[in-house]
Amino acid sequence: MTLMKHLKLSAAVLALSATTAVAADVEVLHWWTSGGEAAALNVLKGDLEAQGIGWMDMPVAGGGGEAAMTVLRARVTSGNAPTAVQMLGFDITDWAKEGALANLNDAAAENGWDAVVPEALQKFAKYEGSWVAAPVNVHSVNWVWANKKLFDDNNLTVPTTWEEFEAVMATLKEAGVTPIAQGGQPWQEATLFDSVVMSTGGPEFYQKALIDLDPEALGSDTMKQAFDRLGAIRANVDDNFSGRDWNLATAMVINGEAGMQIMGDWAKGEFVAAGKVPDEDFLCFRFPGTQDQVMFNADQFAMFDQGGVVSEEQAALATAIMSPTFQSAFNVVKGSVPARTDVPDTDFDACGKKGIADLAAASSSGNLFGSLAQGYGAPASIKNAYYDVVTAFFNGSFDSQTAAEELVTAIEIAQ
Ligand code: BGC
């Protein structure tokens, strides 16, 4: 072979191996399947594609990730773990305990994650001092999303107490509008109940009952009262709620079929995707009685260890997720707020700006609490026991007193 030919061949081999290295796909297991979620996911896909990294989609719908976690367990058991997985709080810790997650310390050190990720998230993103997940956002569950025209037409103002909230529901009902758009899946009812418990009992009660799992608090009169209030909300839901997806409930508020939805701020992603604007088309406010609290969950991406070391694509995905410009672009579309504390709120709409300010205020005043329904209160077995009792109550199986008693028993068994 002539020298020239040899050089050409080596260059070609080099180019080929370089393309193969950067063109490797990441397979991402997630539950972002609604219109707003898909739009946010596209921001992430686009970011990776620009780096030559392909995307293999593995969607498993269902907020709180219960269904996605079942699929994940089956995949890992059959020796075929996906590259990266959307995960919440205690699920991350549980997989890290099993030694299944890749160590992201190099990417974290290179990009200074320690200094910019709040302590409340690091508690779950790190295991035994090592980074095992990259947090992409902070969501919170204690929000109400309302149709502005329906509020204006019925002379309604934003309710700030439970009594005012009941009055708003009554006015909407009288006007022939479904007051509350609710989806009928256990995780949705439990996500709503998180806010009701906080509002009814206050932050100390929420901590005692749903984080510390104190049996006395779980079975207390306050918990019974929280179920009474959940029952009052149930009485303002339409007859067809059973099985409804959360984003279809959001669509009812967007279209003016229903007045309000009590849901995490992923609901805002649906308003944004429909071209709706806060304070013009819709209102966002904290669930009455929880104005000072932020009940959070955070979507994080954990990388499954594919043989000891973090792969090039996994490191690139983690680094992309943690870039400040990406965190702004992604969360503007997703409805959440950045997981980094140093991202400016410039590009966010009024609800996003409020979300960012609320998070900072709650975090410095001791009012930041993990959402039990969204995996940041207790491990999955307890979360699922909570789902079972709340959904049984919502579907008429128990009265409030029995529901509080069932909660004590179910959580005790799950521990
Ligand atoms: C996730 C959100 C998601 C929502 C509904 C929550 O558990 O944290 O990112 O949009 O479920 O799918």
Side-chain angles (χ1 to χ4, degrees), residues 150-151 153-157 159 161-181 229 231-237 258-260 262 288:
L150 285 175
F151 264 50
D153 289 353
N154 292 287
N155 296 315
L156 293 169
T157 51
T161 61
W162 169 254
E163 289 70 26
E164 287 174 14
F165 187 69
E166 276 196 305
V168 169
M169 292 196 291
T171 305
L172 288 168
K173 202 175 214 174
E174 260 165 53
V177 174
T178 300
I180 303 289
R229 290 182 176 185
I233 292 172
R234 169 69 187 85
N236 284 281
V237 168
M260 304 181 278
I262 303 152

Side-chain angles (χ1 to χ4, degrees), residues 31-32 37 62-65 86 88 137 139 187 246 266 297-299 334 374:
W31 59 95
W32 288 337
E37 291 174 332
Q86 177 191 0
L88 302 174
N137 63 12
H139 271 302
W187 73 267
W246 67 271
W266 44 90
N297 75 333
D299 293 306
K334 183 71 174 65
Q374 291 292 324

Side-chain angles (χ1 to χ4, degrees), residues 170-258:
T171 305
L172 288 168
K173 202 175 214 174
E174 260 165 53
V177 174
T178 300
I180 303 289
Q182 178 67 30
Q185 292 158 351
W187 73 267
Q188 295 191 59
E189 291 138 10
T191 300
L192 155 62
F193 195 52
D194 277 355
S195 298
V196 177
V197 171
M198 178 67 85
S199 167
T200 309
E204 271 174 36
F205 179 76
Y206 181 85
Q207 173 73 36
K208 244 187 175 174
L210 298 193
I211 310 263
D212 301 341
L213 310 173
D214 173 49
E216 225 172 274
L218 286 168
S220 64
D221 283 350
T222 308
M223 188 57 81
K224 177 185 169 290
Q225 195 190 358
F227 277 110
D228 285 342
R229 290 182 176 185
L230 185 64
I233 292 172
R234 169 69 187 85
N236 284 281
V237 168
D238 69 314
D239 290 340
N240 298 322
F241 81 99
S242 192
R244 178 186 288 141
D245 288 332
W246 67 271
N247 53 313
L248 301 182
T250 313
M252 290 168 69
V253 178
I254 294 175
N255 302 333
E257 277 170 63

Side-chain angles (χ1 to χ4, degrees), residues 58-92:
M58 180 70 200
V60 183
E66 201 188 356
M69 291 303 105
T70 306
V71 170
L72 174 63
R73 174 64 62 188
R75 289 277 309 262
V76 174
T77 308
S78 65
N80 179 27
T83 326
V85 181
Q86 177 191 0
M87 249 188 228
L88 302 174
F90 281 87
D91 291 328
I92 304 170

